[in-house]
């Protein structure tokens, strides 16, 4: 499993909330997604939490961090994500 961190400098200028997040946190990231070992992404969008097969973007816009995890733990995490899918 991996976490994908979206770099602020790759976000369009009109995406004000992303830039505000970077300004408040004084960081270089505005968003994070979980990426399961089968390539399924899980994260938040304006409509709520969702799964996606493709994050719709250039991989250069993201920094990836590997998270060592057993298959059993990853399955548990996916189950929890399924419970929260669609919530705001």
């Amino acid at each position: 499993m991996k976490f994908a961190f979206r770099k602020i400098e790759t976000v369009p200028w009109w995406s004000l909330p992303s830039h505000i997040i970077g300004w408040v946190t004084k960081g270089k990231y505005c968003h994070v997604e979980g990426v399961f070992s089968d390539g399924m992404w899980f994260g938040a969008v304006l409509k709520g939490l969702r799964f996606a097969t493709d994050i719709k973007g250039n991989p250069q816009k993201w920094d990836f961090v590997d998270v060592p995890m057993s298959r059993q733990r990853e399955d548990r995490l996916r189950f929890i994500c399924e419970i929260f899918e669609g919530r705001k």
Side-chain angles (χ1 to χ4, degrees), residues 2-10 29 31 33 35 41 53-65:
K2 298 178 184 181
F3 286 116
F5 294 87
R6 176 72 186 257
K7 300 173 192 174
I8 292 174
E9 68 268 10
T10 64
Y29 303 110
H31 184 74
E33 298 266 341
V35 185
W41 293 61
T53 55
D54 181 16
I55 205 60
K56 297 182 187 115
N58 184 332
Q60 301 300 330
K61 296 178 180 181
W62 302 85
D63 282 339
F64 294 90
V65 176

Side-chain angles (χ1 to χ4, degrees), residues 8 19-29:
I8 292 174
H19 292 279
I20 289 172
I21 290 168
W23 179 73
V24 169
T25 63
K26 296 179 179 39
K28 64 179 189 173
Y29 303 110

